[in-house]
């Protein structure tokens, strides 16, 4: 098996109930109902950001109930940065940015597991900066205006 096909293989799937329990545990939510509210809000917000093949491929790897929430959203005309995504989520849910960041992380790390590393890389490449940490992946950025370390200064 080639490295490319290994990267594109999804993690073993999970049912919607298993996803809710994972999010409930990771987010330390008191009830299953609260976890379901958070999953719906975050997946709807992600559905407004993602387009194209990545959207279709991600929906195919989500449990049916989660995919329906995700795909019911019409992608927005303006893509939000990771921080913009969190602020928009906070506004729509009536929570604070800190709570929205927590909620996004609790849900999107489960989404990342379902997507698998190959699809997650493609999803992150489509989105503006700032989403990597929300999905539980380190995000390296390049500083503008600095010379690479291997280039001698003159």
């Amino acid at each position: 098996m080639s490295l490319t096909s290994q990267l594109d293989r999804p993690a073993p799937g999970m049912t919607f109930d298993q996803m809710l329990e994972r999010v409930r545990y990771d987010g330390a939510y008191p009830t299953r109902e609260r976890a379901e509210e958070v999953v719906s809000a975050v997946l709807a917000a992600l559905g407004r950001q993602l387009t194209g093949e990545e959207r279709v491929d991600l929906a195919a790897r989500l449990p049916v109930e989660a995919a329906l929430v995700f795909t019911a959203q019409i992608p927005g005309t303006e893509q939000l940065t990771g921080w913009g995504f969190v602020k928009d989520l906070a506004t729509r849910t009536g929570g604070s940015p800190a709570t929205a960041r927590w909620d996004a992380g609790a849900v999107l790390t489960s989404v990342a597991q379902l997507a698998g590393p190959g699809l997650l890389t493609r999803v992150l490449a489509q989105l503006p900066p700032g989403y990597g940490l929300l999905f539980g992946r380190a995000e390296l950025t390049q500083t503008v205006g600095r010379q690479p370390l291997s280039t001698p200064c003159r």
Side-chain angles (χ1 to χ4, degrees):
M1 182 180 287
S2 72
L3 179 59
T4 303
S5 63
Q6 286 176 345
L7 289 178
D8 282 334
R9 289 181 56 203
M14 63 176 79
T15 67
F16 188 61
D17 286 336
Q18 290 169 328
M19 182 181 192
L20 291 179
E21 284 306 310
R22 170 88 316 196
V23 169
R24 181 178 177 196
Y25 178 81
D26 290 348
Y29 299 110
T31 64
R32 181 184 188 279
E33 291 75 23
R34 178 66 183 128
E36 190 167 1
E37 290 170 10
V38 170
V39 166
S40 293
V42 173
L43 288 177
L46 184 61
R48 290 188 290 275
Q49 296 301 306
L50 204 56
T51 61
E53 281 185 45
E54 290 75 19
R55 179 184 175 94
V56 172
D57 291 348
L58 182 57
R61 294 188 186 174
L62 293 173
V64 173
E65 300 89 339
L68 290 173
V69 171
F70 172 68
T71 58
Q73 303 303 308
I74 297 170
T77 56
E78 176 188 344
Q79 278 196 317
L80 301 173
T81 64
W83 176 236
F85 177 86
V86 168
K87 290 192 305 187
D88 181 64
L89 183 60
T91 300
R92 290 175 185 268
T93 61
S96 70
T99 301
R101 166 61 182 94
W102 182 269
D103 293 345
V107 174
L108 295 178
T109 53
S110 288
V111 170
Q113 179 186 358
L114 288 165
L119 178 55
L120 181 57
T121 297
R122 291 176 30 224
V123 165
L124 291 173
Q126 186 191 111
L127 295 170
Y131 283 85
L133 290 176
L134 296 175
F135 282 94
R137 183 181 276 187
E139 187 170 16
L140 303 176
T141 58
Q142 187 175 22
T143 304
V144 178
R146 285 193 174 180
Q147 294 287 329
L149 292 177
S150 61
T151 304
C153 295
R154 295 188 182 160

